[in-house]
Amino acid sequence: MSAPAVPLTAPEATPAGHTPTTAATTLAARRIAELGDRARVCGLYDALGAPLYHDLATYDDPETRALLTAVRATPGPVLDLAAGSGRFTLPLLATGREVTALDLSADMLALLGTQLDRAPASMRGRCTVVQDDMSRFALGRTFPHILLGTTSLSLLDQDGRMGLYRSVLAHLSEGGRFLLTVLERGDSDDPDETAAEVTGAGGTVYELYEHWPASADSRTVTLLPAALPQDDSPVTVCTDRVAVLDLPRLEEELAVSGLSITSRRLLSPPGERHRVTLLTTEATR
Ligand SMILES: C[S@@+](CC[C@H](N)C(=O)[O-])C[C@H]1O[C@@H](n2cnc3c(N)ncnc32)[C@H](O)[C@@H]1O
């Protein structure tokens, strides 16, 4: 399956769900309005949205490959923050790593649990699953690698990010590395809102909308099945507004928090709407 045209990073998910936005984002808002009472509007990581998110998760994409390659350089356990249903956790386990997968959403972790149940016992035995908040966790151990992929840093506000950096520093082994990806608006002259059809691993085709004016400090992602049941049954519509972070400001934030950037790697081709950068950081000595 190819990567979805829009990174499905959404705002903070809580086990109890959250308040999705129904902001009038032209195409997507019109689509929701057409569904009327049939629309079951939810977030991407709650009980209704998590299965759709998981269906679209990709495992063979530039980000996953870059993170696996980066981790390969040093042995030892990996802490996968905002692990979700295991997009990085599972390939890491498959390479023989011990992985701690931390996520706030019980619904996303339940999907990870299902995948682990189907995995060989040797893989399952190397995975520790933790339901916790990445902005304040205390696991009582350290890791040579801590990952925060899928540009999930944008799910935290500034206080949350400060808490995350403190927690990360407390869990990095001597010489350990914190790897994170960041999403910016690329140079393409796409319209403010894009619409794409994407196919999930289970064969379902979805409509995926993204409303992101070039200078906006947030973008809105909306996902729903393309084919609607003929009867009047409900239709799940995941829609969330996600903050957009400014990379230079973020780099300053990391520096004042005690994390030095040792490399920056662009993971997306030039000229695309989504510019994804992999930052490698270490505790400042
Ligand atoms: C974009 S998904 C990424 C999931 C997974 N890494 C992947 O690539 O498929 C973001 C994840 O962050 C989780 N999340 C949101 N806020 C969180 C928080 N404060 N602490 C931990 N996890 C959080 C969500 O539940 C969701 O699983």
Side-chain angles (χ1 to χ4, degrees), residues 144 174 183:
E174 182 72 30
L183 175 67

Side-chain angles (χ1 to χ4, degrees), residues 37-53:
D37 291 345
R38 293 183 71 185
R40 293 285 173 277
V41 180
C42 64
L44 279 168
Y45 315 130
D46 60 22
L48 280 178
L52 274 70
Y53 178 93

